[in-house]
Amino acid sequence: MVGLDLGFGYTKVAVKGQSARLIKVPSVFKKLRDGYTEISEFVEYAGERWVVGERAMEYPGVSPTLLSVQDLIRYAPVFLLYLTQHKGLNGIKKVATGLPPEFLRPYAQELKERIASTLGISSDDVGVFPQGVGILIDVFNKVSSLSRVLVVDIGFNTLDIVYATRRSGGSFKVDFSRTYSESGILFLAQKLRDALGREVPIIKNMGAQEMLRVVEEGKLNISGRVYDLTDYVINLKQEYVEEVKWKLQELKDVLIVSEALVLGGGGAYYIKPQDFADVHSHVILPQDPEYAQARGYYKLLEMLNE
């Protein structure tokens, strides 16, 4: 069983063998060029050979840009093949994953079938849930005594919000969800690229995932010259926090009645609970928040399998 958080920036996996495993792979892939015969970790898909993940980040060329759910579904097999062939996840029988709430109804079946055909399993063994649900399940022990919880999944491309209320049996039911496209931490990468475009023109040719790595490291290395971007990044992170808070204020009705605000996803690494103290008095940040979605999906499979 695998909990799969298929992301625009990173693909995260939670799986349990002899011990729990968390795997993180940059959602970057580039065509294998002739002459690079020393690279053995590639996958074949759609008639091409692809270098995937960390190796692709350092590999020459440009990765296809993943900016839409259609892109993510189209290239999902690239990451699944990489995980099964090079990360020891062969023999997967069941998968739980998610899509931004706005895109769940129109694209869930297509994603299920794409995953199932790649892994050679039945589509009935693939569950697709609203993003944010995995995070809620991951922190269930922290919210089990509450009745109304607001979850914010800060992703790479989207900001996904789920409002859930407790049922009489103790489980939660999603009453409201919303997706803000182009409101994830891609915001940081784009802002940084715009700010430095004139001083460092080559930055305009860098992919979004590569720009995110620059944000994470706070520096840029171009042809041996290192640019210290610490001040840029600090200011951009604060600007992004204000952007997320503004989105939450648009949902004031559910924000006011919620008993906890849960912040998860890869973008949660860029914020602190105290940043939202003026928005909510009970803010929860999961441990290793970028893995919260995948962990929650895995826990969901465990519950459904009992």
Side-chain angles (χ1 to χ4, degrees):
M1 298 190 301
V2 166
L4 174 68
D5 183 6
L6 193 62
F8 293 98
Y10 289 92
T11 292
K12 282 86 66 178
V13 174
V15 61
K16 187 176 290 186
Q18 294 181 339
S19 60
R21 289 181 64 196
L22 296 172
I23 300 171
K24 173 182 172 181
V25 176
S27 296
V28 180
F29 55 108
K30 298 175 182 177
K31 289 182 181 179
L32 180 63
R33 296 183 174 190
D34 293 337
Y36 285 81
T37 54
E38 77 282 1
I39 295 180
S40 58
E41 287 194 2
F42 63 85
V43 301
E44 295 189 32
Y45 174 68
E48 300 285 354
R49 297 185 300 171
W50 302 93
V51 182
V52 183
E54 288 289 348
R55 190 65 186 270
M57 293 287 289
E58 309 299 331
Y59 194 76
V62 178
S63 175
T65 302
L66 303 177
L67 292 179
S68 70
V69 167
Q70 296 95 319
D71 292 335
L72 206 57
I73 294 173
R74 177 186 178 188
Y75 288 109
V78 172
F79 304 108
L80 291 169
L81 290 170
Y82 179 74
L83 289 166
T84 57
Q85 294 176 11
H86 301 293
K87 290 296 182 180
L89 298 188
N90 52 308
I92 296 172
K93 301 300 182 184
K94 292 182 181 292
V95 177
T97 189
L99 283 173
E102 178 183 334
F103 302 104
L104 188 67
R105 187 180 297 273
Y107 292 109
Q109 188 59 35
E110 183 181 353
L111 179 58
K112 287 180 67 169
E113 293 173 357
R114 187 64 60 95
I115 291 174
S117 63
T118 302
L119 298 177
I121 60 178
S122 169
S123 61
D124 293 335
D125 291 321
V126 181
V128 181
F129 304 93
Q131 284 183 350
V133 168
I135 296 172
L136 176 62
I137 294 172
D138 187 55
V139 299
F140 184 80
N141 289 341
K142 295 182 179 181
V143 300
S144 58
S145 63
L146 307 180
S147 299
R148 299 175 298 277
V149 179
L150 187 62
V151 179
V152 180
D153 176 17
I154 307 174
F156 182 74
N157 189 36
T158 62
L159 186 71
D160 299 306
I161 297 176
V162 168
Y163 173 70
T165 57
R166 179 176 297 286
R167 300 179 186 180
S168 57
S171 61
F172 280 95
K173 174 181 177 294
V174 175
D175 288 338
F176 170 85
S177 62
R178 177 168 293 181
T179 296
Y180 289 99
S181 297
E182 298 183 5
S183 297
I185 52 174
L186 177 62
F187 171 95
L188 295 171
Q190 291 175 329
K191 284 278 189 177
L192 186 60
R193 184 159 48 195
D194 292 343
L196 297 176
R198 181 172 297 179
E199 182 181 354
V200 192
I202 197 172
I203 204 171
K204 296 178 181 179
N205 299 323
M206 294 178 66
Q209 289 90 346
E210 293 166 309
M211 282 302 305
L212 183 58
R213 176 66 61 86
V214 173
V215 172
E216 292 171 350
E217 296 178 350
K219 63 182 179 180
L220 174 65
N221 191 325
I222 298 291
S223 300
R225 180 180 177 184
V226 178
Y227 295 82
D228 183 355
L229 306 178
T230 304
D231 291 339
Y232 274 110
V233 171
I234 289 173
N235 292 334
L236 285 175
K237 287 179 180 178
Q238 189 55 47
E239 187 177 345
Y240 183 64
V241 166
E242 295 304 316
E243 183 76 10
V244 175
K245 289 161 71 171
W246 179 260
K247 292 288 193 299
L248 287 173
Q249 290 299 336
E250 293 181 6
L251 306 174
K252 188 175 293 186
D253 289 349
V254 291
L255 179 66
I256 289 174
V257 298
S258 64
E259 297 171 281
L261 173 63
V262 183
L263 303 170
Y269 271 124
Y270 298 99
I271 61 178
K272 301 179 180 65
Q274 55 265 35
D275 291 335
F276 289 79
D278 58 336
V279 173
H280 206 288
S281 62
H282 188 190
V283 180
I284 298 173
L285 193 68
Q287 181 180 4
D288 297 324
E290 67 177 330
Y291 291 107
Q293 195 85 265
R295 281 195 308 258
Y297 290 148
Y298 183 84
K299 293 175 183 177
L300 179 59
L301 282 177
E302 285 187 318
M303 290 188 291
L304 295 175
N305 205 43
E306 290 177 351

